Amino acid sequence: MSAVETDNEDTLSILVATDNHLGYMERDPVRGLDSFSAFSEILQLAQLHKADMVLLGGDLFHDNRPSRKCLHQAMTQLRRTCMGDGRVGIEHLSDPSVDFGPQYMHVNYEDPNINIALPVFLIHGNHDDPSGDGNLSAIDVLAVNGLVNYFGRTHEVDNIRVSPVLLRKGQTHLALFGLGNVRDERLHRTMARKHVTMCQPAEHADEWFNLMVLHQNRVAHGPKNHIPEHFLSSFLDLVVWGHEHQCQVDPEYNHQRSFYVSQPGSSVATALSPGEAVAKHVALLHINRRNFKLEKLRLKNVRPFVIEDVVLAAVPSLSPQSSESEIIEYLRQRVEAMILRAQTQYREQLESGHKDIEPALGEQPMPLVRVRVEYSGGFESFHPQRFGLLFADRVANPRDIVYFYRKPRTSSMGSQRTGSSTQETQASRSVPAPVSAVHVESLISEFLDSSSMQMLVDLELAEAIRLFVQKGDSDAIAHSLKSAVSDTQRRILRDASG
């Protein structure tokens, strides 16, 4: 990474964002338009900064089957911003049928039937991945209408071949590698077995700037439930990492593989966690030959979010004998102070954003507020929703302002463990896990281990049930069973003939 002249005719400028989650809480009367407001700002920033293209790193949609309203809103924003008679200054050099699918003869801005002024390239995430009849994503609807260029699909999870989208502007050559979301356990296994092939340009490979965008767990949630950075190819120059929502947009250098990693994070808060409370930015990436420069742009149209931790045993004015009303009054005062802090944060946010972007959330929107309360040591909890009624017209999330948890008991086994376990992680161990936290893979594996069935593969059946439950794919289980029967029949015939 070195100095780049941003106004040079050879400089390729890309507006980079990830995890837009369009349609998140769209039925909520207060937060229903938050995801669309942020996405609209992102597209406007691309126009205002005269970006050559937009790159989105997965989870454009929050739901695998977005509502008609959500699809209509997304298409409206893309049509308004990306269509026009402006000249696109980048050339597409690779085969569009390989990049985007056999039905596409052109990149969208070279299609003679439509006028595109701002091209958008994107991959799918874990929320909007292909599924169901035809194995289609909601993004396919946008692509077939010429609004976006959808790349990075994989057809075999056990043998992945990643071919780059080759682009050129002047003397700058960009090899854009995309890998849409694959289940982390499967991709981890495939990469560990060296079954992922990264296809570099055939000619003058040293002249290409190699940019990769992927959408996977970057933080380890288990030994195989993430993708270690050292699994990626060392010839890459920059990796744009989607899926992780905490904004870490400044490039971080990986000394082991000699590339940089940028994690833009989400543009809308989908969880009341500390990572979502970090100020949200997008990246303006300038590439000139083999050098790049990355500017971070603060988003204005993001609902302010403040989160704090409270340990009741550490509050001098409270004791286990304190009444519920005394605890509620203390927490009420804390929330009042947090609301004031959120208002200050929002004013700074408006000042830091682009002056030509209108504040879509108004001058003083209701903030998101979260208080994580540890009530160990004899304290009693109370109903969080009843507490939220005190702020029903002042906070955007009155039903879940307060989150109670107990400090986990220490044990000889636990005292020997090392690591950076957060307080939120400790909290999750001390309270019963919600039903949604039970992994279907574990249930399927336990069931198959105790049964005499031999045809069904636990990972494939678990994946089918996950698609049925999370994605609404009513044919997933039938397809999985049909595939298992076909595989068994072929194996029997092969054994019989041998």
Side-chain angles (χ1 to χ4, degrees), residues 111-180:
D111 190 329
N113 299 308
I114 54 177
N115 289 335
I116 297 294
L118 179 63
V120 175
F121 293 81
L122 78 168
I123 63 171
H124 67 258
N126 58 304
H127 281 255
D128 50 14
D129 56 332
S131 64
D133 189 18
N135 195 35
L136 296 173
S137 164
I139 304 173
D140 283 298
V141 178
L142 306 182
V144 79
N145 281 280
L147 296 172
V148 300
N149 300 292
Y150 174 26
F151 70 112
R153 296 181 65 152
T154 55
H155 302 286
E156 296 181 65
V157 296
D158 295 323
N159 187 18
I160 298 175
R161 184 181 179 88
V162 183
S163 298
V165 178
L166 301 181
L167 303 170
R168 178 174 65 193
K169 182 182 180 183
Q171 298 301 312
T172 298
H173 296 72
L174 172 64
L176 177 59
F177 296 85
L179 182 58

Side-chain angles (χ1 to χ4, degrees), residues 111-335:
D111 190 329
N113 299 308
I114 54 177
N115 289 335
I116 297 294
L118 179 63
V120 175
F121 293 81
L122 78 168
I123 63 171
H124 67 258
N126 58 304
H127 281 255
D128 50 14
D129 56 332
S131 64
D133 189 18
N135 195 35
L136 296 173
S137 164
I139 304 173
D140 283 298
V141 178
L142 306 182
V144 79
N145 281 280
L147 296 172
V148 300
N149 300 292
Y150 174 26
F151 70 112
R153 296 181 65 152
T154 55
H155 302 286
E156 296 181 65
V157 296
D158 295 323
N159 187 18
I160 298 175
R161 184 181 179 88
V162 183
S163 298
V165 178
L166 301 181
L167 303 170
R168 178 174 65 193
K169 182 182 180 183
Q171 298 301 312
T172 298
H173 296 72
L174 172 64
L176 177 59
F177 296 85
L179 182 58
N181 179 263
V182 179
R183 292 279 288 175
D184 286 291
E185 296 87 349
R186 286 193 169 191
L187 184 57
H188 189 285
R189 180 182 62 191
T190 303
M191 285 186 158
R193 294 177 177 177
K194 309 294 184 183
H195 288 174
V196 175
T197 303
M198 299 282 286
C199 304
Q200 288 185 265
E203 300 180 357
H204 308 291
D206 58 340
E207 295 181 1
W208 293 84
F209 184 90
N210 299 293
L211 170 62
M212 184 174 189
V213 55
L214 76 164
H215 191 99
Q216 303 291 154
N217 280 335
R218 186 182 179 195
V219 177
H221 299 277
K224 297 182 180 180
N225 197 19
H226 73 295
I227 304 303
E229 292 181 12
H230 69 264
F231 275 16
L232 303 180
S233 300
S234 59
F235 69 81
L236 295 171
D237 297 296
L238 175 65
V239 176
V240 173
W241 209 295
H243 185 62
E244 300 290 354
H245 281 207
Q246 181 169 335
C247 181
Q248 297 176 357
V249 70
D250 292 319
E252 302 172 12
Y253 188 66
N254 184 299
H255 293 274
Q256 184 178 1
R257 306 301 282 172
S258 300
F259 55 62
Y260 289 88
V261 180
S262 175
Q263 181 181 301
S266 65
S267 56
V268 62
T270 61
L272 300 176
S273 60
E276 295 278 20
V278 177
K280 296 192 178 295
H281 298 77
V282 293
L284 184 61
L285 174 63
H286 304 284
I287 304 172
N288 190 300
R289 293 178 174 84
R290 294 300 302 275
N291 300 316
F292 78 94
K293 173 185 176 182
L294 191 146
E295 299 179 45
K296 62 180 184 180
L297 308 176
R298 181 76 177 269
L299 293 177
K300 292 173 67 172
N301 291 325
V302 174
R303 189 171 298 278
F305 174 29
V306 178
I307 184 169
E308 287 186 1
D309 292 297
V310 171
V311 180
L312 293 182
V315 179
S317 60
L318 297 178
S319 69
Q321 288 73 40
S322 298
S323 64
E324 179 179 303
S325 60
E326 290 176 317
I327 297 175
I328 289 178
E329 176 60 21
Y330 173 79
L331 293 177
R332 186 192 66 79
Q333 294 178 13
R334 289 292 293 262
V335 173

